[in-house]
């Protein structure tokens, strides 16, 4: 497979911004993916901490991540990106989701 470079305005329906608040960690719930979890084209949430359902829902009102979005880190590992290949069950912080016009 070969990659084609395109400008974001030719690819995206929307570009949003994840939360900048720091939700309180919980024992269980939903994962909070940050820029450090996006590296080398992959999203590795294995070390992400859990947040409450209330915080998860609040974050997703602003920046819901969907399958086939591209996540781009904005703080820390700036510019790292990865495609969300599986339906996500996490919220994001300091990561920008770019929504595709056409989903595969």
């Amino acid at each position: 497979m070969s990659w084609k470079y395109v400008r974001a305005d030719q690819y995206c329906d929307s570009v949003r911004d994840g939360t900048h608040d720091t939700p309180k960690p919980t024992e269980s719930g939903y994962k909070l993916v940050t820029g450090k979890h996006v590296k080398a084209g992959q999203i590795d949430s294995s070390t992400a901490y859990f947040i409450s359902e209330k915080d998860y829902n609040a974050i997703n009102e602003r920046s819901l991540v969907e399958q086939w979005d591209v996540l781009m880190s904005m703080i820390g590992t700036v510019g790292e990106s990865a495609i969300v290949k599986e339906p996500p069950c996490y919220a994001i912080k300091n990561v920008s989701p770019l929504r595709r016009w056409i989903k595969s």
Side-chain angles (χ1 to χ4, degrees):
M1 173 160 104
S2 63
W3 292 93
K4 177 182 172 186
Y5 287 92
V6 296
R7 293 184 346 204
D9 65 345
Q10 296 172 327
Y11 175 86
C12 298
D13 182 42
S14 73
V15 176
R16 288 160 290 125
D17 186 358
T19 187
H20 293 272
D21 296 333
T22 303
K24 190 175 181 180
T26 60
E27 291 292 319
S28 62
Y30 294 90
K31 295 272 185 133
L32 182 67
V33 168
T34 67
K36 68 183 175 184
H37 300 108
V38 180
K39 285 191 179 178
Q42 303 294 318
I43 302 162
D44 179 6
S45 64
S46 64
T47 61
Y49 67 79
F50 290 105
I51 59 173
S52 70
E53 183 174 4
K54 179 181 176 184
D55 285 336
Y56 172 81
N57 290 334
I59 293 167
N60 284 337
E61 281 183 28
R62 171 185 168 133
S63 52
L64 177 67
V65 177
E66 293 183 359
Q67 186 176 20
W68 306 118
D69 285 354
V70 172
L71 297 186
M72 183 169 292
S73 62
M74 301 177 343
I75 295 178
T77 56
V78 176
E80 290 282 346
S81 62
I83 296 172
V84 179
K85 295 177 183 172
E86 301 295 326
C89 55
Y90 50 79
I92 56 173
K93 173 182 168 53
N94 300 331
V95 176
S96 179
L98 293 84
R99 176 82 23 92
R100 290 181 55 173
W101 286 354
I102 302 169
K103 296 186 174 49
S104 305

